[in-house]
Amino acid sequence: METQTSNEYKEVISRCKELFRKKTIDYGTAWRIFRLSSITDQIFIKAQRIRSIQEKGSQKVNDPIEDDFVGIINYCLIALLQISYVKDERMEIPFEELEPAYDHWVSETRGLLENKNHDYGEAWREMRVSSMTDIILMKLLRTKQIEDNQGQTLVSEGIEANYQDMINYAVFCLIKLDYHV
């Protein structure tokens, strides 16, 4: 059954995917050079910029924070793609080959969102964008710790789950900022 959230989610992801496609055409898959920890740091830079602007109430670089949330989504998907292609040593992978893997991770992540929305009753709709930004930053710190522990955890979810949660919170922020319209 299609819900409002499902439709909004699809619209946000569609815009993110189109930007990913265009950047892949422009730049190829230069991101393949990144270690996973470097992708995590790229996501951190974007989340930290958003928080800094939220706290200061102003910005000097005229790029909207919506672009940074899109960047968080696409970098998280790039991280998940890197995990998927860990044994593939190619630097260049055509978009047509990446697209099914991108779609797979989006589908898995959206499924996670739908399950959590069922249990939590879409509590995110009552949250502030600033709180969700903080949650993204907390997930980043967790991810960094897991990376520093060579991916080993005792009781927590792994790196993939943290990237997926960051995607979902960034989508929520974009929905609340009317990016899907």
Side-chain angles (χ1 to χ4, degrees), residues 2 10 20 42 51 58 60 87 92 97-98 147 160:
E2 292 294 309
K10 285 180 184 177
F20 178 81
Q42 289 296 309
R51 182 177 171 147
S58 66
K60 292 194 175 189
K87 293 183 180 177
E92 284 301 320
E97 187 177 332
L98 289 173
E147 289 169 348
E160 293 95 341

Side-chain angles (χ1 to χ4, degrees), residues 137-155:
L137 282 162
M138 181 263 303
K139 296 277 182 187
L140 281 161
L141 294 175
R142 286 182 177 180
T143 301
K144 285 180 166 199
Q145 186 64 49
I146 293 168
E147 289 169 348
D148 290 347
N149 293 337
Q150 285 71 51
Q152 300 301 308
T153 62
L154 297 176
V155 296

Side-chain angles (χ1 to χ4, degrees), residues 159-177:
I159 287 176
E160 293 95 341
N162 281 288
Y163 286 129
Q164 289 178 296
D165 284 345
M166 287 185 269
I167 290 168
N168 284 335
Y169 277 109
V171 169
F172 294 156
C173 290
L174 288 169
I175 290 171
K176 289 188 73 81
L177 293 169

